[in-house]
Amino acid sequence: PMAAVSSTQDFGQTQFICQSVPKDMDLCSASMQNSGPAEDLKTTVMQLRETVLQQKETIMNQKETIRELTSKLSRCESQSGPTAEGASGRRPGAKNTMGDVSRGTTETLAQLGQTLQTLKQRLENLENYSRGNNGSAQANSLKDLLQNKIDDMEKQVLSRVNTVEEGKGARNDTDQRNRVESSLTSLHHRITDLEKGAHGRPSDKFQLTFPLRTNYMYAKAKSSLPEMYSFSVCLWIKSNASPGVGTPFSYAVKGQSNELVLIEWGNNPMEILINDKVAKLPFLINDGKWHHLCITWTTRDGVWEAFQDGVMRGSGENLAPYHPIKPEGVLVLGQEQDTLGGGFDATQAYVGELANLNIWNRKLTVAEIHNLATCNSKAPAGNVFSWSESTVEVFGGATKWTFEPCRSNN
């Protein structure tokens, strides 16, 4: 039989191709078996078909990824809405449970726990290697690499932890999350010890880093404060968190969780709270650069002064006049306390870096504050609380990094 082509349409000049085809063969398949241009056409059609299939697969994958991201984003947004202000006017009354939500599916946490185990093993190998090589350049570069990997993983753990929906009765998940966080904190402690051993880091040359808003990441002073009729508190701070950088530190005593608090939450300016009384501070710091802050106060007439980068920016009086700061409390860095040593609220957590928190039970002079802000060798250390690795312990994934004021790049 012959394959014939006929049409009423005008194709201009045409030519007819005759080809013998086996009786049972499909005509379309047969027409593609010619050599020359027809063979090329067949190859091109097959390639195009393959390309289309690949593109379809890619589009399906992308759609799935977009669905996942959209779902995660909506969960984040639903967890970070505005909070109503409490009756006292000082703290949000409705708790944001962002830090309390279930910390992810059992599967995700098991996976992260496994990653931590691997890192822990590598750290042990590194410690053994370091002992045998007395902190050689190779060991130090391995430490840096490991520290970076731990930091990356930490952000992954904490961001996943903060974006998963709340599950009912997820006690196992919470237990796993606590184990992961505990391992993470332990890793950071050991890395810090290695750094100190290898680089001989001075005990006060470190900063605390709080990468995310949570209600479980914080640092704590190992000792309390004495009774104080006046004080000066100074620190280095770096944050660009918005709205509000959160709570760099809070000091709570029995019966008064707001005995001495530095806080900037919501769209309020930074404030100092003494015995729940408030003064608004003229600081502008959330530009992502390091700033030196000092606040002085005396109980007589409640007179206060506020210094930023060594320069007095504001002052006032009548802030908790004739109320001495009470002793035997808990000094927490990075969280606002609603109960003694706890009751943290993610909306008021500090996000950023801070260093060199020092407290004196007297009013510093303008010259002393200038020396502190310019890292002058004559700068005094706090006499009731001084910044040192031995006086500060970290929890929940907050980390210690090497820091030298006035030398650290913005």
Side-chain angles (χ1 to χ4, degrees):
M2 306 283 272
V5 180
S6 66
S7 174
T8 55
Q9 285 179 292
D10 182 12
F11 285 101
Q13 278 195 317
T14 59
Q15 86 177 32
F16 294 91
I17 300 169
C18 294
Q19 179 187 354
S20 64
V21 177
K23 186 176 179 182
D24 298 325
M25 181 174 258
D26 178 63
L27 292 182
C28 293
S29 301
S31 67
M32 285 297 183
Q33 285 186 341
N34 255 1
S35 58
E39 188 64 37
D40 292 343
L41 181 63
K42 179 186 175 184
T43 307
T44 306
V45 168
M46 295 304 287
Q47 285 172 345
L48 282 170
R49 186 170 179 272
E50 189 64 32
T51 305
V52 168
L53 287 172
Q54 284 173 354
Q55 284 177 339
K56 271 188 178 177
E57 195 177 342
T58 304
I59 288 165
M60 292 302 290
N61 289 342
Q62 286 173 342
K63 278 184 177 175
E64 188 59 38
T65 305
I66 288 165
R67 269 200 296 274
E68 280 178 25
L69 288 171
T70 308
S71 170
K72 284 182 182 178
L73 185 61
S74 63
R75 287 201 294 269
C76 282
E77 285 170 348
S78 68
Q79 289 168 0
S80 57
T83 2
E85 194 172 295
S88 69
R90 296 296 2 120
R91 298 192 307 275
K95 285 279 185 186
N96 180 316
T97 55
M98 186 171 164
D100 288 320
V101 298
S102 166
R103 300 299 173 192
T105 61
T106 307
E107 191 183 346
T108 304
L109 279 163
Q111 204 175 3
L112 292 169
Q114 206 171 348
T115 310
L116 276 167
Q117 263 326 107
T118 309
L119 281 170
K120 190 176 278 187
Q121 186 60 54
R122 289 181 64 188
L123 182 55
E124 281 168 6
N125 295 342
L126 177 61
E127 284 172 329
N128 294 332
Y129 180 83
S130 185
R131 284 191 201 100
N133 287 271
N134 297 322
S136 68
Q138 192 178 355
N140 291 340
S141 67
L142 275 169
K143 281 179 198 125
D144 293 341
L145 180 70
L146 184 60
Q147 183 71 75
N148 289 337
K149 283 193 178 298
I150 287 177
D151 185 48
D152 289 343
M153 187 210 53
E154 173 186 56
K155 284 177 183 168
Q156 182 193 4
V157 171
L158 296 174
S159 62
R160 284 202 191 181
V161 147
N162 255 4
T163 56
V164 211
E165 287 177 293
E166 185 169 4
K168 300 298 176 193
R171 184 174 172 182
N172 289 344
D173 286 2
T174 307
D175 289 346
Q176 275 187 284
R177 166 224 159 182
N178 289 339
R179 281 198 296 274
V180 168
E181 285 170 6
S182 168
S183 299
L184 194 57
T185 304
S186 162
L187 279 168
H188 281 299
H189 278 309
R190 291 166 75 184
I191 282 284
T192 301
D193 291 343
L194 278 173
E195 279 185 343
K196 279 193 288 191
H199 306 299
R201 177 168 85 195
S203 67
D204 62 334
K205 296 290 191 290
F206 74 99
Q207 69 180 51
L208 294 177
T209 300
F210 303 91
L212 294 167
R213 267 188 222 280
T214 69
N215 69 353
Y216 54 83
M217 205 186 292
Y218 67 103
K220 190 170 75 170
K222 290 184 181 178
S223 58
S224 180
L225 299 178
E227 186 172 54
M228 296 188 291
Y229 293 86
S230 64
F231 70 74
S232 299
V233 56
C234 299
L235 70 157
W236 284 92
I237 194 167
K238 178 184 179 182
S239 180
N240 58 2
S242 179
V245 302
T247 310
F249 71 84
S250 63
Y251 176 67
V253 295
K254 194 175 179 182
Q256 177 52 278
S257 59
N258 291 334
E259 185 67 6
L260 175 58
V261 181
L262 184 65
I263 185 170
E264 180 188 285
W265 60 272
N267 292 311
N268 303 296
M270 187 166 268
E271 300 169 336
I272 184 91
L273 279 66
I274 297 175
N275 191 31
D276 235 344
K277 308 300 183 292
V278 186
K280 294 186 185 304
L281 302 173
F283 294 145
L284 293 170
I285 56 149
N286 62 342
D287 56 3
K289 296 181 179 180
W290 281 105
H291 292 285
H292 187 259
L293 306 183
C294 267
I295 300 139
T296 70
W297 172 87
T298 56
T299 184
R300 183 181 175 86
D301 297 324
V303 174
W304 61 269
E305 293 177 341
F307 296 77
Q308 181 175 325
D309 300 322
V311 178
M312 189 162 79
R313 292 290 179 92
S315 62
E317 56 183 25
N318 225 22
L319 173 59
Y322 305 102
H323 168 84
I325 303 294
K326 293 176 184 171
E328 296 174 21
V330 177
L331 177 61
V332 164
L333 287 73
Q335 295 283 355
E336 196 271 344
Q337 303 172 67
D338 275 345
T339 59
L340 193 64
F344 304 147
D345 181 346
T347 62
Q348 295 173 304
Y350 177 71
V351 183
E353 298 157 77
L354 64 86
N356 288 56
L357 175 72
N358 282 276
I359 304 173
W360 298 258
N361 60 357
R362 64 180 178 86
K363 181 179 173 180
L364 293 182
T365 66
V366 173
E368 285 174 319
I369 290 170
H370 183 265
N371 285 343
L372 284 160
T374 55
C375 305
N376 190 303
S377 58
K378 294 177 184 175
N383 68 334
V384 297
F385 177 78
S386 64
W387 188 250
S388 169
E389 297 221 37
S390 61
T391 61
V392 177
E393 50 187 337
V394 293
F395 300 90
T399 57
K400 292 179 180 179
W401 297 95
T402 300
F403 170 78
E404 289 199 51
C406 302
R407 289 189 192 176
S408 293
N409 294 326
N410 284 324

